[in-house]
Amino acid sequence: MAVYVQALEAMLQENMNVVSSEGLAAACNVNSSQIRKDLAYFGEFGVRGVGYYIQDLLAAMREYLGINREWNCALVGVGNLGRALLRHKQLARKGFLIVAAFDCDPFKIGEVVAGHEIFCTRRLKERKQDLGIEIGMIATPPERAQRATNHLIEAGVKGIINFAPAIVHVPDDTVIDYVDFSQNLITLAFQLSSHPSS
Amino acid sequence: MAVYVQALEAMLQENMNVVSSEGLAAACNVNSSQIRKDLAYFGEFGVRGVGYYIQDLLAAMREYLGINREWNCALVGVGNLGRALLRHKQLARKGFLIVAAFDCDPFKIGEVVAGHEIFCTRRLKERKQDLGIEIGMIATPPERAQRATNHLIEAGVKGIINFAPAIVHVPDDTVIDYVDFSQNLITLAFQLSSHPSS
């Protein structure tokens, strides 16, 4: 679903108004019957023989996905990956605003990266209140990921996305999602092994 | 499947020999009926009332996934994200070895990052032959992702993983996979919107 949003946004930027399921399929590298199935819920935005009205479909999808608004995010861990996230313009463009950055390294505290002053991780709770932080992004080394998670939980953050290659434990009322590069690589290795090319 | 491999590897490191489907389910945050379904193919490694023999199951899964061997990878784009990937110890541990790093910025060419000398992207084809590169990782800014893809394709790399927030086009004989942080964030936003907590 998120892939469709991305493709539709690109089409809108190119001043397109309508897209066929075949056109959307090609842009997303899926087949058009899959598109029609996935978009069944949004059927009212499709017109037989014409396609989908991009702007209306996009607005409905954004509302359904909860991205018709901005989300304030806190970054914990300002290493190379954290810096890449702070400079990742697409995240802000998609409504995910990093409003605060934290690290436990005293040499980093006070440093300003991409306009963000780095605060001590212990100040998460206080900053969470002030800034209305709803999502925590963990970009620490793996061995510090659980500690970062605990700081976020203690601060009352209910949504966490973990970029560190480590499984962390959260209470039932907290949503955790992982960005694990190695899993994408494993998928790729599987595809390369199953479909050997000349 | 890749999640199970990760959990099983962690268990093996803790000197466990056998795991129940409930135990594996808990470690992976999925339910045990899902586990049994997913592992049906590997049924011979499960013993009723006992569980799965971790080492045998892991070996079979690794072979099935094509990760019972090493894969030589090339990184294109040595910004913050590229540097994070070059220093990402887990990737090498899982068999994805970054054997070469490329960038088109003349100020970066010749620099050594995490033991890797950065080469001009134009030398990809030559280095691909020498080093047996099979997978390309793109960590360029989005506007340079297609150019990096083209360099990889011209060099004969058949598997590409794109970390840049941009859709790229590849020929039919090339496998492309995306690591798109914003999609994980959208999933998280959806979960936070659908399951509001107190």
Side-chain angles (χ1 to χ4, degrees):
Chain A
M1 194 81 81
V3 178
Y4 301 148
V5 168
Q6 189 171 6
L8 290 168
E9 282 171 346
M11 290 171 184
L12 209 59
Q13 276 183 354
E14 288 166 19
N15 295 316
M16 287 172 63
N17 291 316
V18 175
V19 64
S20 64
S21 41
E22 289 78 14
L24 188 56
C28 300
N29 286 326
V30 299
N31 63 56
S32 55
S33 68
Q34 182 68 41
I35 292 263
R36 279 188 288 265
K37 210 174 84 183
D38 289 346
L39 299 193
Y41 179 88
F42 303 98
E44 62 186 299
F45 303 102
V47 180
R48 194 175 296 276
V50 177
Y52 296 94
Y53 289 104
I54 296 175
Q55 195 143 25
D56 296 344
L57 177 58
L58 196 52
M61 288 185 115
R62 292 178 139 282
E63 188 179 340
Y64 175 77
L65 290 171
I67 53 170
N68 56 337
R69 46 162 286 202
E70 290 181 337
W71 292 86
N72 287 350
C73 307
L75 173 74
V76 187
V78 193
N80 282 123
L81 179 61
R83 281 162 210 267
L85 290 170
L86 284 170
R87 295 188 173 117
H88 200 289
K89 294 190 190 89
Q90 299 280 333
L91 291 182
R93 218 170 282 157
K94 286 174 191 282
F96 298 98
L97 310 176
I98 301 183
V99 295
F102 300 90
D103 204 292
C104 62
D105 178 348
F107 290 99
K108 288 182 184 164
I109 294 165
E111 187 191 341
V112 177
V113 178
H116 294 83
E117 184 181 344
I118 302 172
F119 288 92
C120 172
T121 313
R122 287 203 200 87
R123 294 185 61 189
L124 237 167
K125 193 168 188 171
E126 162 205 337
R127 305 291 296 162
K128 192 259 182 190
Q129 310 292 345
D130 294 350
L131 298 168
I133 293 164
E134 294 169 290
I135 291 176
M137 299 179 183
I138 298 175
T140 63
E143 63 274 17
R144 294 205 199 115
Q146 185 63 56
R147 199 163 62 184
T149 304
N150 296 347
H151 276 293
L152 286 165
I153 291 165
E154 279 163 33
V157 175
K158 299 295 183 195
I160 299 175
I161 189 154
N162 182 15
F163 291 81
I167 291 177
V168 295
H169 298 282
V170 299
D172 285 342
D173 71 345
T174 306
V175 183
I176 175 93
D177 191 17
Y178 293 87
V179 177
D180 183 348
F181 308 149
S182 66
Q183 295 194 13
N184 296 74
L185 281 159
I186 290 171
T187 302
L188 192 67
F190 175 65
Q191 292 172 282
L192 290 172
S193 305
S194 320
H195 311 289
S197 51
S198 56
Chain B
M1 194 81 81
V3 179
Y4 300 150
V5 169
Q6 189 171 6
L8 290 168
E9 282 170 347
M11 289 171 184
L12 208 58
Q13 277 184 353
E14 287 166 20
N15 295 317
M16 288 173 61
N17 291 316
V18 175
V19 64
S20 64
S21 41
E22 289 77 14
L24 188 55
C28 300
N29 286 325
V30 300
N31 63 57
S32 55
S33 68
Q34 181 68 41
I35 293 261
R36 279 187 288 264
K37 210 173 84 183
D38 290 347
L39 298 194
Y41 179 87
F42 303 97
E44 61 186 299
F45 304 102
V47 180
R48 196 175 295 276
V50 178
Y52 296 94
Y53 289 104
I54 295 174
Q55 195 143 24
D56 296 343
L57 177 59
L58 196 52
M61 288 185 115
R62 291 178 141 282
E63 189 179 340
Y64 175 77
L65 290 171
I67 52 169
N68 56 336
R69 45 162 287 200
E70 289 182 338
W71 292 85
N72 287 351
C73 307
L75 172 74
V76 187
V78 192
N80 282 123
L81 179 61
R83 282 161 209 268
L85 290 170
L86 284 170
R87 296 189 172 117
H88 200 288
K89 294 190 191 89
Q90 299 279 333
L91 291 182
R93 217 170 282 157
K94 286 173 191 283
F96 298 98
L97 309 177
I98 301 182
V99 295
F102 300 90
D103 204 292
C104 62
D105 179 348
F107 289 100
K108 288 182 185 164
I109 294 165
E111 187 190 341
V112 177
V113 178
H116 294 84
E117 183 180 344
I118 303 173
F119 288 94
C120 172
T121 312
R122 288 201 199 87
R123 292 185 63 189
L124 236 167
K125 194 168 188 170
E126 163 206 337
R127 303 292 295 162
K128 192 259 181 190
Q129 309 294 345
D130 294 348
L131 297 169
I133 293 163
E134 294 169 290
I135 291 176
M137 300 179 181
I138 297 175
T140 64
E143 63 275 16
R144 295 205 199 116
Q146 185 63 56
R147 199 163 62 184
T149 304
N150 297 346
H151 276 293
L152 287 165
I153 291 165
E154 279 163 32
V157 176
K158 300 294 185 197
I160 299 174
I161 190 153
N162 183 14
F163 291 81
I167 292 177
V168 295
H169 299 282
V170 299
D172 285 343
D173 70 346
T174 306
V175 183
I176 175 93
D177 192 16
Y178 293 87
V179 177
D180 183 347
F181 309 149
S182 65
Q183 295 195 13
N184 297 73
L185 280 158
I186 290 172
T187 303
L188 191 68
F190 176 66
Q191 291 172 283
L192 290 172
S193 305
S194 319
H195 311 288
S197 50
S198 56

